[in-house]
Amino acid sequence: SGHWSWAPGRPSTVDALIGILRKFKTPLEEGRVKVHVGNDLEILSLFPDNYFDWVYIDTSHQYEHTKQELLLSSKKVKDCGVIAGDDWWSDPEHRHHGVYRAVNEFVDSQEYKIVYSNEDIHQWAIKKVVR
């Protein structure tokens, strides 16, 4: 859609992309950083399994979408890798509670544990349980 209607400040996705390109200008030019623009599930699926050390989820904040992101991310991170994200809201009335619900259900059904969660800054991280 081009804009995040729920975000404070300057919510344009184009502005966000321009900021990223400016901030990482040198590493981009050197080929050390690559930016992939598109649907997160489609882009993530292009990478091989066990590829990433970590994945950070900060997209739609919707329950179903977050569930899909967690399942796909769990295949794409290394066994010692971390999946982390934004909008950790335990309040079921909050519009982003779906993230909290999806992460907790994922941890309950998979071999993952919550290694960090913070209600004040709304961040979370999970890691695969090593057996």
Side-chain angles (χ1 to χ4, degrees):
S1 70
H3 285 83
W4 300 304
S5 60
W6 44 264
R10 300 188 70 218
S12 167
T13 55
V14 173
D15 288 346
L17 178 59
I18 289 168
I20 289 167
L21 296 175
R22 284 183 180 147
K23 181 175 182 172
F24 294 101
K25 182 180 186 299
T26 301
L28 280 162
E29 290 171 347
E30 294 171 349
R32 294 184 294 122
V33 171
K34 292 182 182 177
V35 175
H36 302 270
V37 178
N39 176 288
D40 66 318
L41 297 173
E42 292 172 9
I43 298 288
L44 193 55
S45 68
L46 299 174
F47 288 89
D49 291 352
N50 302 308
Y51 181 81
F52 294 105
D53 293 319
W54 57 273
V55 170
Y56 187 87
I57 297 174
D58 186 13
T59 60
S60 74
H61 306 93
Q62 301 300 309
Y63 169 72
E64 288 296 332
H65 191 102
T66 303
K67 280 177 47 175
Q68 293 175 18
E69 291 170 321
L70 289 166
L71 284 171
L72 185 55
S73 295
S74 70
K75 295 174 185 169
K76 301 304 174 179
V77 296
K78 297 172 184 173
D79 282 345
C80 60
V82 171
I83 303 170
D86 189 29
D87 285 305
W88 185 256
W89 294 89
S90 63
D91 177 3
E93 300 301 315
H94 193 277
R95 68 180 177 263
H96 297 317
H97 176 70
V99 172
Y100 177 91
R101 183 175 155 214
V103 170
N104 278 287
E105 287 178 9
F106 180 79
V107 167
D108 288 344
S109 67
Q110 304 291 322
E111 292 186 340
Y112 274 80
K113 65 180 177 177
I114 296 172
V115 294
Y116 179 81
S117 65
N118 188 310
E119 287 273 341
D120 295 326
I121 60 171
H122 312 291
Q123 302 295 301
W124 56 271
I126 62 176
K127 189 170 184 173
K128 195 169 199 175
V129 176
V130 179
R131 303 238 181 245

